[in-house]
Amino acid sequence: MEKSCTLLIHFDKGTPAIANEIKEALEGNDVPAKVDAMKKAIMLLLNGETLPQLFITIVRYVLPSEDHTIQKLLLLYLEIIDKTDAKGRVLPEMILICQNLRNNLQHPNEYIRGVTLRFLCRLNETEIIEPLIPSVLQNLQHRHPYIRRNAILAVMAIYKLPQGEQLLVDAPEMIEKVLSTEQDPSAKRNAFLMLFTCDQDRAINYLLTHVDRVSEWGELLQMVVLELIRKVCRTNKGEKGKYIKIIISLLNAPSTAVIYECAGTLVSLSSAPTAIRAAANTYSQLLLSQSDNNVKLIVLDRLNELRSSHRDIMVDLIMDVLRALNSPNLDIRRKTLDIVLELITPRNINEVVLMLKKEVVKTQSGELEKNGEYRQMLIQAIHSCAIKFPEVASTVVHLLMDFLGDSNVASAIDVIIFVREIIEMNPKLRVSIITRLLDNFYQIRAARVCTCALWIIGEYCQSLSEVENGIATIKQCLGELPFFSVSEEGEDTDSSKKVQQQASSTTVSSRRPAVLADGTYATQSAASETAFSPPTIVQGTLTSGNLRSLLLTGDFFLGAVVACTLTKLVLRLEEVQPSRVEVNKASSQALLIMVSMLQLGQSPVLPHPIDNDSFDRIVVCIRLLCNTGDNIRKIWLQSCRQSFVKMLSEKQLRESEELKAKAQISHAQPDDLIDFYHLKSRKGMSQLELEDEVQDDLKRATGEFVKEGDDANKLNRILQLTGFSDPVYAEAYVTVHHYDIVLDVTVINRTKETLQNLCLELATMGDLKLVERPQNYTLAPESSKQIKANIKVSSTETGVIFGNIVYETSNVLERTVVVLNDIHIDIMDYISPAVCTDAAFRTMWAEFEWENKFNMERICWKVAVNTVIQDEKEFLDHIIKSTNMKCLTAPSALDGDCGFLAANLYAKSVFGEDALVNVSIEKQTDGKLSGYIRIRSKTQGIALSLGDKITLKQKGGS
């Protein structure tokens, strides 16, 4: 059993000191050598050495020293040595130090007195302390505050000892007298703390007697007062009204620490709107006045908690919270926006959007390196505002469209997705959005933004002018055709010159002349320099536009989107253009562009040929323009839009269902007491007290006081550690709370004998660490004992707790050991379902290095044998339930019965780790499921733990 230690010093084990060397140095007269020798002795003792031969040497040569450093080290030495024998009796040689301690307590030097009093606070041996008590009490009246404050702490420590009340019978009364006359803030705080700890009634009486002067007390004393109020109000809720008045008065204290604690205490004790509003205002002031980013993040967490429980009050403070965006820290800005987005209402939406627009404009200055990320966050926030309140979209959409060509691709993607939703939800804005999009299209540099913008152009260009402008914009951004040209060099040099003159003057040779089948020479060259040099940003000239640059890098998916957009525009032109000649002209130009893209894809100019999907798509567009039917026209011009509208409605439906699920609150039990506060006596109650009573009644009536974890659910968390036939029965109730695991172990002595020195010995495996080792107990026959053990968690890796119970009996000399069952800490306690965008999921999937991938064939073979799961959707639901993850794939994408299923799952751990899962399965002809489940995360632990969990669940584990 390890002993408790109040001192921790780093020790370099590479150079151990020898006891004889230490002894020689202590016996000498050299003070620096003595100091060094004492330090070495203390470090050896802390690391398990006993050094019994040094005690007499130290008593003879160190005790008489007048050097302050040596005296301080002497007290540290006395603090850590064993002062009792195996039976717990004080060693006789300890009497030698009592006189020295008494002399130190009467020493003329204040420092020696002070450190000796501090030493007594850590002394537990009554036999040593008892003769020193008169000297300790004398120091309560010393002129120096340093000694008085330490003397009060010493009195408190002595009084808290098992026999302390016999040693100092009237200690609380004595300290109360000291408190009434004390002027030093620290000593006053220590005196009040002593009363708070040892005689709470006296502390309350003193507080209520001097309630008018609490605001004048020092910061340290005010903090103890708040702690006392919290403790009293928890035990006696009926008296919290008078204490809340004290807290309200302390909200104007000069100390920021005090007002932060006041706000937290108010929220924990009262639900009255006046109290919550005062706390929220205090947090808002701290958020703006403090420069430390860590403080701002903590305050934002408190505000977020208030937002979840008192949203109506927080709505009024939304503009104060928004001012935190002035901080350059991205984490602070992200948290601020998250809080604000939950507080927007029809009353404040215009102010919030105006503020966000100003912040977006600020990001154009380019002064800060993370402006791109901040702008992306602002765009997403504005997007959320516009979805909730479509009427504000007209004020922001045109501003955001200026960022379609943003160098931050993620920000530009957010803008175009926002535009795509707004143009469908706000028909009045379609004309202005299309016009602005066509004007700014040449600025777009990212392929993904181009594809989305082209889809918008193809779907929402309705009028004749819009369709013609759309076709013209695409042609302009593609540049001149062809994308490459073939020139022949035969014997006739004139013809060669003629061909070269027809080619663009910017043509550059891309490869050496090749011999054709008829024996002539030919070279292939691109009609633009961008074909062979990396694409350079050229502002939409006729010869080289953004679409051309992207196509010449080999992005033929973009080429397929261009073909589809042109096809839609030509089909719509047939409906709105009365002139058949113009329609045929536009159709032939579109066909020429598509054929040119196919030629470019099949030419050796580019390092990679066109992919089959893009080739087939472009060919379909060519065939469609050559032969159009009414059914095909309907599919291209109407069905695409209908699918998009359906996707948006499903998204809104999912969000509304999530909001409904969050809004569900528990109800009171049928036999619960109902209080009618209108019938209560209001005599002597302030407005704040009355509000608090009303709010408590409302909470009780709506079941808000009922905790989610009912007693019935606790039974699921109980683990049996020993067998029923063991002499000691043990079971544990495991509570996992973020970074802490609390084991509440019940130990029952099932024998007829008294068990002595019973100890619960625990060890951990994985990223778990035992905080403190439980002490020894004596267990009477057939009695029980509750033992608590705290364990710290540092990651989501699955951990194991194992150990045994060791005890002695009077009949058996040897110790008996009962081995306990292992406790496996489940990863499900650490992860919770979360939501992220598809773009964020893909980005994280590409970045994360740890992947856990396993084939389902052998696993599903077990499933097939047990005939448990043979349906794809049922299997997916089983995985989601087993892993506590969120399915990001829309339900509509999982509809139908095609024998194949692919879905993305996402979860987040309490440590901020992301867990990504991809499920790809198909049903074989024999009815079995096969495929892969792939798990990715930034750290190895969560990927392996999730893999083990899925494997266990698929094999029929629990």
Side-chain angles (χ1 to χ4, degrees):
M1 182 66 191
E2 293 187 13
K3 297 175 182 176
S4 60
C5 178
T6 57
L7 185 63
L8 182 64
I9 301 174
H10 171 71
F11 178 61
D12 184 7
K13 295 183 179 179
T15 56
I18 302 173
N20 291 333
E21 295 177 0
I22 296 174
K23 188 175 180 181
E24 290 176 6
L26 292 176
E27 291 173 352
N29 295 321
D30 187 3
V31 173
K34 277 190 176 183
V35 169
D36 190 51
M38 284 296 294
K39 288 180 178 179
K40 288 179 180 178
I42 290 169
M43 286 191 284
L44 285 174
L45 285 167
L46 286 174
N47 284 274
E49 301 290 337
T50 53
L51 305 178
Q53 67 273 27
L54 282 184
F55 182 77
I56 298 302
T57 304
I58 288 174
V59 169
R60 290 180 59 192
Y61 297 100
V62 178
L63 220 60
S65 175
E66 291 292 328
D67 185 77
H68 292 179
T69 306
I70 291 178
Q71 285 296 322
K72 173 69 175 176
L73 291 171
L74 172 65
L75 293 174
L76 293 178
Y77 169 80
L78 295 176
E79 182 182 327
I80 60 177
I81 61 171
D82 290 329
K83 292 177 273 295
T84 56
D85 57 17
K87 295 183 179 180
R89 292 176 298 198
V90 175
L91 296 171
E93 55 264 31
M94 288 298 119
I95 303 302
L96 297 172
I97 67 171
C98 282
Q99 185 60 39
N100 178 69
L101 292 175
R102 187 186 293 110
N103 293 339
N104 282 355
L105 291 173
Q106 298 169 356
H107 200 282
N109 184 274
E110 290 86 357
Y111 176 75
I112 297 296
R113 284 199 190 199
V115 294
T116 306
L117 288 166
R118 292 291 293 272
F119 165 71
L120 293 181
C121 294
R122 302 186 187 94
L123 207 58
N124 298 319
E125 286 71 28
T126 309
E127 292 87 345
I128 301 175
I129 290 175
E130 189 171 3
L132 304 175
I133 288 177
S135 301
V136 172
L137 296 179
Q138 286 177 7
N139 283 308
L140 289 173
Q141 307 300 327
H142 195 276
R143 58 180 178 79
H144 202 285
Y146 173 69
I147 295 174
R148 294 199 303 273
R149 75 175 75 124
N150 284 305
I152 294 169
L153 289 177
V155 169
M156 180 171 70
I158 295 170
Y159 192 78
K160 287 166 68 177
L161 290 175
Q163 300 175 358
E165 294 186 17
Q166 286 79 31
L167 294 175
L168 287 169
V169 180
D170 56 347
E173 184 180 351
M174 194 185 312
I175 296 298
E176 189 177 17
K177 290 179 182 177
V178 170
L179 180 60
S180 60
T181 58
E182 184 59 63
Q183 298 299 320
D184 180 65
S186 297
K188 206 168 184 178
R189 175 256 182 196
N190 289 352
F192 191 81
L193 181 63
M194 190 273 174
L195 292 180
F196 167 40
T197 308
C198 304
D199 193 342
Q200 189 172 302
D201 291 336
R202 286 182 185 272
I204 294 171
N205 183 48
Y206 179 82
L207 173 62
L208 296 178
T209 306
H210 301 82
V211 67
D212 297 331
R213 300 182 58 190
V214 172
S215 57
E216 301 171 9
W217 290 350
E219 173 188 350
L220 296 173
L221 183 54
Q222 288 174 345
M223 296 288 275
V224 181
V225 166
L226 289 171
E227 193 176 343
L228 172 66
I229 290 173
R230 280 197 293 269
K231 185 175 180 181
V232 171
C233 291
R234 284 195 197 101
T235 55
N236 191 358
K237 293 184 178 180
E239 295 184 359
K240 66 180 179 181
K242 54 187 175 185
Y243 294 110
I244 288 177
K245 294 177 186 175
I246 299 174
I247 301 171
I248 295 286
S249 69
L250 286 177
L251 283 175
N252 298 319
S255 167
T256 53
V258 171
I259 61 175
Y260 173 80
E261 287 296 326
C262 280
T265 307
L266 265 183
V267 173
S268 65
L269 297 183
S270 175
S271 301
T274 305
I276 299 300
R277 193 172 288 110
N281 282 322
T282 301
Y283 284 140
S284 299
Q285 292 169 11
L286 288 173
L287 184 63
L288 301 176
S289 62
Q290 296 302 302
S291 57
D292 191 321
N293 287 341
N294 294 318
V295 174
K296 287 179 180 285
L297 289 170
I298 292 169
V299 171
L300 283 170
D301 285 336
R302 301 292 84 76
L303 286 171
N304 193 35
E305 291 170 4
L306 282 183
R307 190 267 313 158
S308 60
S309 55
H310 303 280
R311 184 179 183 275
D312 294 340
I313 295 171
M314 284 297 298
V315 164
D316 298 332
L317 299 173
I318 188 169
M319 297 311 295
D320 292 331
V321 176
L322 263 177
R323 288 164 65 187
L325 292 176
N326 293 328
S327 170
N329 184 278
L330 280 183
D331 292 327
I332 293 173
R333 287 170 162 173
R334 185 177 292 109
K335 278 194 175 184
T336 302
L337 290 174
D338 290 341
I339 294 171
V340 166
L341 290 178
E342 296 293 330
L343 297 175
I344 52 176
T345 63
R347 282 191 307 155
N348 59 31
I349 182 64
N350 291 323
E351 289 181 280
V352 172
V353 170
L354 183 63
M355 181 80 169
L356 296 178
K357 280 172 62 178
K358 290 179 180 177
E359 291 295 316
V360 170
V361 173
K362 285 182 188 177
T363 61
Q364 292 178 291
S365 61
E367 295 175 2
L368 299 174
E369 58 182 44
K370 293 188 177 180
N371 267 347
E373 293 180 50
Y374 181 40
R375 182 160 55 245
Q376 183 184 356
M377 287 161 44
L378 290 170
I379 291 168
Q380 291 171 348
I382 293 173
H383 186 175
S384 299
C385 292
I387 296 302
K388 291 181 181 177
F389 301 94
E391 63 272 10
V392 303
S394 58
T395 63
V396 293
V397 66
H398 298 300
L399 171 68
L400 294 186
M401 288 179 73
D402 291 335
F403 297 99
L404 286 173
D406 197 341
S407 56
N408 184 347
V409 177
S411 176
I413 290 172
D414 287 332
V415 171
I416 199 65
I417 290 174
F418 169 66
V419 171
R420 187 178 67 180
E421 287 195 33
I422 293 304
I423 201 171
E424 173 57 39
M425 295 170 62
N426 291 320
K428 295 179 181 178
L429 297 177
R430 286 177 186 170
V431 175
S432 60
I433 290 176
I434 284 294
T435 305
R436 189 67 175 265
L437 181 60
L438 292 174
D439 291 341
N440 293 352
F441 188 80
Y442 72 92
Q443 297 177 351
I444 302 174
R445 295 297 164 207
R448 290 182 61 191
V449 182
C450 275
T451 55
C452 193
L454 286 168
W455 185 88
I456 295 171
I457 292 171
E459 289 295 335
Y460 295 97
C461 285
Q462 302 289 339
S463 65
L464 177 60
S465 60
E466 289 174 350
V467 173
E468 289 178 343
N469 288 338
I471 295 174
T473 300
I474 294 173
K475 285 173 59 181
Q476 180 182 350
C477 292
L478 285 171
E480 295 180 354
L481 299 177
F483 294 106
F484 73 99
S485 61
V486 178
S487 59
E488 296 184 355
E489 295 183 3
E491 295 177 356
D492 188 357
T493 57
D494 294 335
S495 63
S496 175
K497 290 178 182 177
K498 184 178 180 182
V499 173
Q500 289 175 2
Q501 287 171 0
Q502 290 174 353
S504 173
S505 59
T506 60
T507 300
V508 292
S509 178
S510 65
R511 52 184 297 186
R512 300 176 68 180
V515 181
L516 300 180
D518 59 356
T520 59
Y521 292 94
T523 59
Q524 287 181 327
S525 57
S528 170
E529 290 178 349
T530 55
F532 302 99
S533 59
T536 55
I537 295 177
V538 183
Q539 298 297 333
T541 62
L542 288 173
T543 56
S544 179
N546 53 345
L547 291 180
R548 186 187 193 92
S549 301
L550 293 167
L551 277 175
L552 292 175
T553 59
D555 190 346
F556 286 102
F557 174 74
L558 176 63
V561 176
V562 169
C564 292
T565 304
L566 287 172
T567 303
K568 290 179 184 177
L569 291 174
V570 171
L571 291 177
R572 192 160 284 118
L573 187 65
E574 292 179 3
E575 297 178 352
V576 296
Q577 174 60 267
S579 171
R580 194 66 191 170
V581 176
E582 293 295 328
V583 173
N584 291 338
K585 182 180 177 182
S587 179
S588 60
Q589 290 174 341
L591 287 169
L592 180 60
I593 290 171
M594 296 177 201
V595 171
S596 299
M597 287 191 292
L598 290 178
Q599 285 183 336
L600 176 65
Q602 294 176 334
S603 72
V605 174
L606 300 179
H608 302 290
I610 186 171
D611 57 283
N612 293 333
D613 289 340
S614 301
F615 180 86
D616 293 342
R617 191 74 170 161
I618 296 174
V619 169
V620 166
C621 293
I622 294 173
R623 288 177 177 170
L624 179 59
L625 289 181
C626 294
N627 185 13
T628 307
D630 290 338
N631 291 334
I632 299 296
R633 183 189 300 274
K634 183 179 179 182
I635 291 172
W636 279 71
L637 296 183
Q638 296 178 18
S639 299
C640 291
R641 176 94 61 87
Q642 290 169 359
S643 298
F644 178 60
V645 172
K646 184 180 177 183
M647 185 189 83
L648 286 182
S649 61
E650 285 181 353
K651 179 182 174 186
Q652 291 174 347
L653 182 63
R654 285 202 308 272
E655 290 175 353
S656 62
E657 286 176 353
E658 288 176 2
L659 288 175
K660 286 180 183 177
K662 288 180 182 178
Q664 285 181 349
I665 56 174
S666 57
H667 297 285
Q669 297 300 318
D671 56 349
D672 278 358
L673 178 69
I674 298 178
D675 243 342
F676 293 96
Y677 71 91
H678 292 289
L679 306 179
K680 285 184 178 177
S681 172
R682 302 189 181 191
K683 188 180 293 184
M685 292 181 69
S686 66
Q687 179 64 26
L688 182 60
E689 291 175 278
L690 188 62
E691 285 183 13
D692 195 49
E693 289 282 338
V694 173
Q695 290 297 321
D696 283 354
D697 290 341
L698 285 173
K699 278 188 172 183
R700 203 173 289 113
T702 56
E704 200 170 325
F705 282 150
V706 180
K707 300 294 183 183
E708 290 181 4
D710 294 326
D711 292 338
N713 295 332
K714 289 184 178 180
L715 296 175
N716 298 328
R717 312 286 299 173
I718 292 178
L719 302 173
Q720 185 178 339
L721 300 181
T722 63
F724 291 113
S725 60
D726 287 320
V728 175
Y729 174 76
E731 63 182 20
Y733 171 62
V734 184
T735 306
V736 179
H737 183 70
H738 293 290
Y739 302 94
D740 299 299
I741 298 174
V742 179
L743 293 183
D744 195 349
V745 183
T746 303
V747 180
I748 302 174
N749 179 7
R750 305 187 67 213
T751 67
K752 301 293 184 182
E753 298 178 335
T754 300
L755 305 184
Q756 300 173 348
N757 293 328
L758 184 142
C759 178
L760 176 68
E761 296 181 347
L762 296 175
T764 59
M765 189 172 67
D767 288 335
L768 304 176
K769 185 178 180 182
L770 198 62
V771 177
E772 56 186 12
R773 300 186 183 277
Q775 63 189 57
N776 288 357
Y777 300 96
T778 299
L779 213 56
E782 298 183 350
S783 64
S784 63
K785 183 72 180 175
Q786 298 287 122
I787 304 175
K788 290 201 174 193
N790 293 318
I791 294 168
K792 286 286 181 186
V793 188
S794 57
S795 81
T796 45
E797 185 177 350
T798 300
V800 180
I801 304 171
F802 51 92
N804 46 51
I805 292 176
V806 183
Y807 62 90
E808 299 172 353
T809 58
S810 56
N811 298 334
V812 183
L813 296 177
E814 296 181 359
R815 306 190 77 187
T816 307
V817 179
V818 178
V819 180
L820 306 178
N821 290 332
D822 295 346
I823 302 174
H824 292 265
I825 302 303
D826 196 349
I827 187 177
M828 295 302 103
D829 294 321
Y830 304 129
I831 68 173
S832 56
V835 179
C836 71
T837 62
D838 289 340
F841 187 92
R842 291 191 189 98
T843 303
M844 288 188 286
W845 188 268
E847 288 177 355
F848 291 170
E849 55 180 323
W850 288 107
E851 175 170 327
N852 194 358
K853 169 183 166 184
F854 46 90
N855 194 339
M856 281 183 48
E857 288 179 358
R858 71 173 192 276
I859 297 170
C860 288
W861 173 77
K862 287 278 187 187
V863 173
V865 168
N866 295 327
T867 64
V868 178
I869 300 174
Q870 291 188 346
D871 180 72
E872 307 98 302
K873 294 190 187 67
E874 186 183 346
F875 178 78
L876 177 64
D877 292 338
H878 177 65
I879 292 296
I880 292 171
K881 184 179 178 181
S882 303
T883 57
N884 196 25
M885 301 189 84
K886 173 83 172 177
C887 182
L888 300 182
T889 307
S892 58
L894 302 174
D895 287 343
D897 189 10
C898 62
F900 175 79
L901 184 145
N904 292 333
L905 312 181
Y906 178 65
K908 211 172 181 68
S909 76
V910 295
F911 307 99
E913 300 167 317
D914 300 288
L916 314 178
V917 173
N918 174 260
V919 181
S920 298
I921 52 176
E922 64 176 335
K923 183 178 285 189
Q924 303 292 344
T925 54
D926 57 359
K928 297 178 183 178
L929 297 177
S930 66
Y932 289 97
I933 298 178
R934 303 173 70 184
I935 306 166
R936 285 198 181 184
S937 67
K938 187 173 284 188
T939 55
Q940 183 183 17
I942 191 170
L944 294 177
S945 300
L946 263 179
D948 294 342
K949 185 73 177 178
I950 292 174
T951 305
L952 180 68
K953 287 292 182 180
Q954 287 185 116
K955 288 181 176 179
S958 56

